[in-house]
Amino acid sequence: MRSLLLLLVLTFMCFSSKAQQYSFISFSTPEGLPQSQVNSITQDKDGYLWVGTFGGLSKFNGRNFVNYSVSDGLLNNRVHSLSYIDSQLFVGHNNGISFQCENDSFCHKVLPDDVPLSNISKIVRFKGEIFVATNGSGLFKVQEDQKQLLPIKNSPLRIRSMVVHSNHLLMATREGIFRFKENQFKLDTSFITASFSDVDVVKNTIFATTFSGEVHKKSNQESSELYYESNTHRFRNILCINEDLIWLNSRYGAIKIENAEEIHINEQSGLPINDINIIFKDREKNIW
């Protein structure tokens, strides 16, 4: 089915006078993935690639997939996000998190009973603690001796992404870009008020994407600036390689922007499908 997402690795480029064509290696259920809708990718210290799908978690060594499910301790098989923090894999679901607790087995913590079930959008370490962002129920913190995640008061509810920046947690939310420090949330008014989908930082430069097809950039200036705009894409994520090279993805394909030049990657240029949930760069500089 064309609606299903595949795990793809971009291998090389070929240029012609008419259009740029790309070659991909594709991995899906016939190659060992538990399910073909890929939501998140990360890499551990040993170089293994971890892939989160709606049907379970996979560990990839470059040749074979080893799959994990509720029978291995996962909270459930629907994986929405992955983070590798201090030699430990964290897995975000729609009702809590799983984490490696012994070898490749998993333990888990759940959202409190009195909050709505929400997808875990991001898990990060900030000032020695693990913070968990949700797209619907706000920000939470992991407490080692508690089975439930601890809610942080006065948090924006719909946090789509989160990154550590300048002693703050920087959050892309439905209401704008927020900063969190010392249990205080503050709207960053240097960015426009918009529904932001993702935020990333490279060398103190902040890039943030919106669901209206905009990319905003902030370096040392007081206010952010419109860096890129699309009339067709509604960006889901941004991957910042450096200040002059970023990747964007949406349901209409991927865009690579390097030194202000843009390359569109879609079905016309070689993608099996346009609908891209995530873009990831591994240590060997492969783009997935």
Side-chain angles (χ1 to χ4, degrees), residues 102-144:
E102 185 177 352
N103 296 324
D104 280 345
S105 63
F106 292 85
C107 302
H108 53 258
K109 295 180 183 291
V110 298
L111 292 174
D113 296 332
D114 58 349
V115 303
L117 296 183
S118 301
N119 297 338
I120 305 299
S121 55
K122 196 72 174 182
I123 305 168
V124 303
R125 177 177 288 279
F126 176 58
K127 293 189 175 181
E129 297 183 291
I130 301 296
F131 285 84
V132 178
T134 72
N135 189 6
S137 296
L139 185 66
F140 295 80
K141 185 167 62 174
V142 172
Q143 291 184 303
E144 291 187 7

Short mmCIF file of all heavy atoms in Angstrom, two decimals, residues 102-144:
data_model
loop_
_atom_site.label_atom_id
_atom_site.label_comp_id
_atom_site.label_asym_id
_atom_site.label_seq_id
_atom_site.Cartn_x
_atom_site.Cartn_y
_atom_site.Cartn_z
N GLU A 102 17.80 -3.89 31.34
CA GLU A 102 18.75 -4.99 31.47
C GLU A 102 18.97 -5.60 30.10
O GLU A 102 18.02 -6.13 29.49
CB GLU A 102 18.25 -6.04 32.45
CG GLU A 102 19.27 -7.15 32.73
CD GLU A 102 18.78 -8.13 33.76
OE1 GLU A 102 17.73 -7.87 34.37
OE2 GLU A 102 19.44 -9.16 33.95
N ASN A 103 20.21 -5.55 29.61
CA ASN A 103 20.52 -6.03 28.27
C ASN A 103 19.55 -5.40 27.27
O ASN A 103 19.45 -4.19 27.19
CB ASN A 103 20.48 -7.55 28.23
CG ASN A 103 21.55 -8.17 29.12
OD1 ASN A 103 22.66 -7.63 29.22
ND2 ASN A 103 21.23 -9.27 29.76
N ASP A 104 18.82 -6.22 26.53
CA ASP A 104 17.85 -5.69 25.57
C ASP A 104 16.42 -5.90 26.03
O ASP A 104 15.48 -5.97 25.22
CB ASP A 104 18.05 -6.34 24.19
CG ASP A 104 19.21 -5.70 23.43
OD1 ASP A 104 19.64 -4.59 23.83
OD2 ASP A 104 19.67 -6.29 22.45
N SER A 105 16.21 -6.02 27.33
CA SER A 105 14.85 -6.04 27.87
C SER A 105 14.48 -4.64 28.33
O SER A 105 15.35 -3.79 28.54
CB SER A 105 14.74 -7.04 29.03
OG SER A 105 15.58 -6.64 30.10
N PHE A 106 13.19 -4.39 28.49
CA PHE A 106 12.72 -3.04 28.74
C PHE A 106 11.82 -2.98 29.97
O PHE A 106 11.09 -3.92 30.30
CB PHE A 106 11.93 -2.52 27.52
CG PHE A 106 12.80 -2.30 26.31
CD1 PHE A 106 13.09 -3.36 25.45
CD2 PHE A 106 13.34 -1.06 26.04
CE1 PHE A 106 13.90 -3.16 24.34
CE2 PHE A 106 14.16 -0.86 24.94
CZ PHE A 106 14.44 -1.92 24.09
N CYS A 107 11.91 -1.85 30.65
CA CYS A 107 10.97 -1.49 31.71
C CYS A 107 10.18 -0.28 31.23
O CYS A 107 10.50 0.29 30.18
CB CYS A 107 11.72 -1.15 33.00
SG CYS A 107 12.76 -2.49 33.63
N HIS A 108 9.16 0.12 31.97
CA HIS A 108 8.38 1.26 31.48
C HIS A 108 7.76 2.06 32.62
O HIS A 108 7.66 1.61 33.75
CB HIS A 108 7.28 0.79 30.51
CG HIS A 108 6.39 -0.28 31.05
ND1 HIS A 108 6.52 -1.61 30.70
CD2 HIS A 108 5.36 -0.23 31.91
CE1 HIS A 108 5.60 -2.33 31.32
NE2 HIS A 108 4.88 -1.51 32.06
N LYS A 109 7.40 3.31 32.25
CA LYS A 109 6.68 4.22 33.14
C LYS A 109 5.53 4.81 32.34
O LYS A 109 5.66 5.07 31.14
CB LYS A 109 7.61 5.33 33.65
CG LYS A 109 8.75 4.82 34.56
CD LYS A 109 9.63 5.95 35.04
CE LYS A 109 10.80 5.44 35.88
NZ LYS A 109 10.36 4.90 37.18
N VAL A 110 4.42 5.06 33.02
CA VAL A 110 3.20 5.47 32.33
C VAL A 110 2.82 6.90 32.69
O VAL A 110 3.29 7.47 33.69
CB VAL A 110 2.02 4.52 32.67
CG1 VAL A 110 2.32 3.11 32.20
CG2 VAL A 110 1.75 4.54 34.18
N LEU A 111 1.96 7.48 31.86
CA LEU A 111 1.37 8.77 32.18
C LEU A 111 0.43 8.62 33.38
O LEU A 111 -0.14 7.55 33.59
CB LEU A 111 0.60 9.32 30.99
CG LEU A 111 1.41 9.73 29.76
CD1 LEU A 111 0.48 10.10 28.61
CD2 LEU A 111 2.34 10.88 30.07
N PRO A 112 0.26 9.67 34.18
CA PRO A 112 -0.68 9.59 35.31
C PRO A 112 -2.09 9.26 34.84
O PRO A 112 -2.48 9.56 33.71
CB PRO A 112 -0.61 11.00 35.91
CG PRO A 112 0.72 11.53 35.50
CD PRO A 112 0.98 10.96 34.14
N ASP A 113 -2.86 8.65 35.71
CA ASP A 113 -4.21 8.21 35.36
C ASP A 113 -5.14 9.37 35.03
O ASP A 113 -6.10 9.21 34.28
CB ASP A 113 -4.81 7.41 36.53
CG ASP A 113 -4.05 6.12 36.78
OD1 ASP A 113 -3.45 5.58 35.83
OD2 ASP A 113 -4.05 5.67 37.95
N ASP A 114 -4.86 10.55 35.58
CA ASP A 114 -5.79 11.67 35.43
C ASP A 114 -5.44 12.60 34.26
O ASP A 114 -6.01 13.70 34.16
CB ASP A 114 -5.87 12.49 36.71
CG ASP A 114 -4.51 13.03 37.15
OD1 ASP A 114 -3.49 12.60 36.58
OD2 ASP A 114 -4.48 13.89 38.05
N VAL A 115 -4.53 12.20 33.37
CA VAL A 115 -4.23 13.02 32.20
C VAL A 115 -4.61 12.24 30.94
O VAL A 115 -4.56 11.01 30.93
CB VAL A 115 -2.74 13.44 32.14
CG1 VAL A 115 -2.34 14.16 33.41
CG2 VAL A 115 -1.84 12.23 31.92
N PRO A 116 -4.98 12.95 29.87
CA PRO A 116 -5.35 12.26 28.63
C PRO A 116 -4.15 11.52 28.04
O PRO A 116 -3.01 11.96 28.16
CB PRO A 116 -5.80 13.41 27.71
CG PRO A 116 -6.07 14.56 28.61
CD PRO A 116 -5.16 14.41 29.77
N LEU A 117 -4.41 10.40 27.41
CA LEU A 117 -3.35 9.69 26.70
C LEU A 117 -2.87 10.54 25.55
O LEU A 117 -3.67 11.08 24.78
CB LEU A 117 -3.87 8.34 26.19
CG LEU A 117 -4.29 7.32 27.24
CD1 LEU A 117 -4.72 6.02 26.57
CD2 LEU A 117 -3.18 7.06 28.24
N SER A 118 -1.56 10.70 25.44
CA SER A 118 -0.97 11.55 24.41
C SER A 118 0.32 10.92 23.91
O SER A 118 1.05 10.27 24.67
CB SER A 118 -0.67 12.96 24.96
OG SER A 118 -1.84 13.58 25.43
N ASN A 119 0.61 11.14 22.64
CA ASN A 119 1.85 10.62 22.07
C ASN A 119 3.06 11.28 22.72
O ASN A 119 3.09 12.50 22.89
CB ASN A 119 1.89 10.87 20.57
CG ASN A 119 0.79 10.16 19.83
OD1 ASN A 119 0.22 9.18 20.33
ND2 ASN A 119 0.46 10.64 18.65
N ILE A 120 4.05 10.48 23.05
CA ILE A 120 5.32 11.02 23.55
C ILE A 120 6.10 11.53 22.35
O ILE A 120 6.49 10.77 21.48
CB ILE A 120 6.13 9.95 24.30
CG1 ILE A 120 5.30 9.33 25.42
CG2 ILE A 120 7.42 10.56 24.83
CD1 ILE A 120 4.84 10.28 26.48
N SER A 121 6.34 12.83 22.30
CA SER A 121 6.97 13.44 21.13
C SER A 121 8.49 13.56 21.26
O SER A 121 9.19 13.54 20.24
CB SER A 121 6.37 14.82 20.87
OG SER A 121 6.45 15.64 22.02
N LYS A 122 9.01 13.69 22.48
CA LYS A 122 10.45 13.86 22.65
C LYS A 122 10.85 13.51 24.08
O LYS A 122 10.11 13.78 25.04
CB LYS A 122 10.85 15.32 22.36
CG LYS A 122 12.34 15.53 22.13
CD LYS A 122 12.80 14.97 20.79
CE LYS A 122 14.24 15.32 20.51
NZ LYS A 122 14.68 14.82 19.19
N ILE A 123 12.06 12.91 24.20
CA ILE A 123 12.63 12.58 25.50
C ILE A 123 14.06 13.11 25.52
O ILE A 123 14.86 12.76 24.65
CB ILE A 123 12.61 11.06 25.75
CG1 ILE A 123 11.20 10.49 25.59
CG2 ILE A 123 13.15 10.74 27.16
CD1 ILE A 123 11.15 8.99 25.53
N VAL A 124 14.40 13.97 26.49
CA VAL A 124 15.74 14.55 26.55
C VAL A 124 16.24 14.57 28.00
O VAL A 124 15.44 14.53 28.95
CB VAL A 124 15.78 15.99 25.98
CG1 VAL A 124 15.28 16.03 24.55
CG2 VAL A 124 14.99 16.94 26.86
N ARG A 125 17.56 14.63 28.14
CA ARG A 125 18.16 14.87 29.45
C ARG A 125 18.45 16.36 29.59
O ARG A 125 19.05 16.97 28.71
CB ARG A 125 19.45 14.07 29.62
CG ARG A 125 20.14 14.35 30.97
CD ARG A 125 21.37 13.50 31.16
NE ARG A 125 21.04 12.12 31.40
CZ ARG A 125 20.66 11.61 32.58
NH1 ARG A 125 20.56 12.43 33.64
NH2 ARG A 125 20.39 10.35 32.73
N PHE A 126 18.01 16.93 30.72
CA PHE A 126 18.21 18.35 30.97
C PHE A 126 18.57 18.52 32.44
O PHE A 126 17.81 18.15 33.33
CB PHE A 126 16.93 19.13 30.62
CG PHE A 126 16.98 20.59 30.92
CD1 PHE A 126 17.94 21.41 30.35
CD2 PHE A 126 16.05 21.18 31.78
CE1 PHE A 126 17.99 22.77 30.61
CE2 PHE A 126 16.08 22.54 32.04
CZ PHE A 126 17.06 23.33 31.47
N LYS A 127 19.77 19.04 32.67
CA LYS A 127 20.27 19.28 34.04
C LYS A 127 20.18 18.02 34.89
O LYS A 127 19.75 18.05 36.05
CB LYS A 127 19.51 20.44 34.68
CG LYS A 127 19.79 21.77 34.00
CD LYS A 127 19.22 22.93 34.77
CE LYS A 127 19.63 24.26 34.12
NZ LYS A 127 19.12 25.43 34.85
N GLY A 128 20.60 16.91 34.29
CA GLY A 128 20.70 15.65 35.03
C GLY A 128 19.42 14.88 35.19
O GLY A 128 19.41 13.82 35.84
N GLU A 129 18.32 15.37 34.62
CA GLU A 129 17.03 14.68 34.74
C GLU A 129 16.47 14.39 33.35
O GLU A 129 16.79 15.06 32.37
CB GLU A 129 16.04 15.51 35.55
CG GLU A 129 16.48 15.75 36.99
CD GLU A 129 15.44 16.51 37.79
OE1 GLU A 129 15.24 17.70 37.51
OE2 GLU A 129 14.84 15.91 38.70
N ILE A 130 15.60 13.38 33.28
CA ILE A 130 14.96 13.01 32.03
C ILE A 130 13.59 13.67 31.95
O ILE A 130 12.74 13.46 32.82
CB ILE A 130 14.81 11.48 31.90
CG1 ILE A 130 16.18 10.80 31.99
CG2 ILE A 130 14.12 11.12 30.60
CD1 ILE A 130 17.12 11.16 30.87
N PHE A 131 13.40 14.48 30.89
CA PHE A 131 12.13 15.15 30.66
C PHE A 131 11.44 14.53 29.44
O PHE A 131 12.10 14.17 28.45
CB PHE A 131 12.33 16.65 30.44
CG PHE A 131 12.63 17.40 31.72
CD1 PHE A 131 13.93 17.47 32.20
CD2 PHE A 131 11.61 18.02 32.42
CE1 PHE A 131 14.21 18.15 33.38
CE2 PHE A 131 11.88 18.70 33.60
CZ PHE A 131 13.19 18.77 34.08
N VAL A 132 10.13 14.43 29.55
CA VAL A 132 9.32 13.76 28.53
C VAL A 132 8.25 14.72 28.03
O VAL A 132 7.42 15.20 28.81
CB VAL A 132 8.65 12.49 29.11
CG1 VAL A 132 7.77 11.82 28.05
CG2 VAL A 132 9.72 11.52 29.62
N ALA A 133 8.28 15.03 26.74
CA ALA A 133 7.29 15.93 26.14
C ALA A 133 6.19 15.11 25.50
O ALA A 133 6.45 14.07 24.88
CB ALA A 133 7.96 16.83 25.11
N THR A 134 4.96 15.59 25.62
CA THR A 134 3.83 14.94 24.96
C THR A 134 3.12 15.94 24.05
O THR A 134 3.15 17.15 24.29
CB THR A 134 2.80 14.41 25.99
OG1 THR A 134 2.09 15.52 26.58
CG2 THR A 134 3.47 13.61 27.08
N ASN A 135 2.49 15.41 23.03
CA ASN A 135 1.70 16.22 22.12
C ASN A 135 0.23 16.14 22.54
O ASN A 135 -0.58 15.47 21.91
CB ASN A 135 1.88 15.74 20.68
CG ASN A 135 1.25 16.69 19.68
OD1 ASN A 135 0.76 17.76 20.03
ND2 ASN A 135 1.25 16.29 18.43
N GLY A 136 -0.07 16.82 23.66
CA GLY A 136 -1.44 16.83 24.13
C GLY A 136 -1.61 16.94 25.63
O GLY A 136 -2.63 17.44 26.11
N SER A 137 -0.61 16.52 26.39
CA SER A 137 -0.74 16.52 27.85
C SER A 137 0.38 17.26 28.57
O SER A 137 0.44 17.23 29.79
CB SER A 137 -0.82 15.08 28.38
OG SER A 137 -1.98 14.44 27.90
N GLY A 138 1.28 17.91 27.82
CA GLY A 138 2.29 18.74 28.45
C GLY A 138 3.61 18.03 28.70
O GLY A 138 3.94 17.03 28.07
N LEU A 139 4.37 18.58 29.66
CA LEU A 139 5.72 18.13 29.96
C LEU A 139 5.73 17.32 31.26
O LEU A 139 5.04 17.66 32.22
CB LEU A 139 6.65 19.34 30.11
CG LEU A 139 8.14 19.08 30.33
CD1 LEU A 139 8.75 18.42 29.10
CD2 LEU A 139 8.87 20.38 30.66
N PHE A 140 6.57 16.26 31.27
CA PHE A 140 6.67 15.39 32.43
C PHE A 140 8.14 15.14 32.75
O PHE A 140 9.02 15.40 31.93
CB PHE A 140 5.96 14.05 32.17
CG PHE A 140 4.48 14.18 31.97
CD1 PHE A 140 3.96 14.58 30.75
CD2 PHE A 140 3.60 13.93 33.01
CE1 PHE A 140 2.59 14.70 30.56
CE2 PHE A 140 2.23 14.04 32.84
CZ PHE A 140 1.73 14.44 31.61
N LYS A 141 8.36 14.60 33.94
CA LYS A 141 9.71 14.28 34.38
C LYS A 141 9.73 12.85 34.90
O LYS A 141 8.75 12.37 35.50
CB LYS A 141 10.15 15.27 35.46
CG LYS A 141 11.59 15.10 35.90
CD LYS A 141 12.05 16.30 36.73
CE LYS A 141 11.28 16.49 38.00
NZ LYS A 141 11.82 17.56 38.86
N VAL A 142 10.84 12.17 34.66
CA VAL A 142 11.00 10.79 35.13
C VAL A 142 11.51 10.80 36.57
O VAL A 142 12.50 11.47 36.89
CB VAL A 142 11.99 10.02 34.24
CG1 VAL A 142 12.30 8.65 34.83
CG2 VAL A 142 11.42 9.86 32.83
N GLN A 143 10.84 10.06 37.43
CA GLN A 143 11.30 9.83 38.80
C GLN A 143 11.62 8.35 38.94
O GLN A 143 10.76 7.49 38.70
CB GLN A 143 10.23 10.25 39.81
CG GLN A 143 10.01 11.76 39.87
CD GLN A 143 9.02 12.12 40.96
OE1 GLN A 143 7.89 11.65 40.96
NE2 GLN A 143 9.46 12.96 41.89
N GLU A 144 12.84 8.04 39.34
CA GLU A 144 13.29 6.65 39.35
C GLU A 144 12.44 5.76 40.23
O GLU A 144 12.23 4.58 39.93
CB GLU A 144 14.76 6.59 39.78
CG GLU A 144 15.72 7.19 38.77
CD GLU A 144 17.17 6.94 39.15
OE1 GLU A 144 17.41 6.20 40.13
OE2 GLU A 144 18.05 7.49 38.46
#
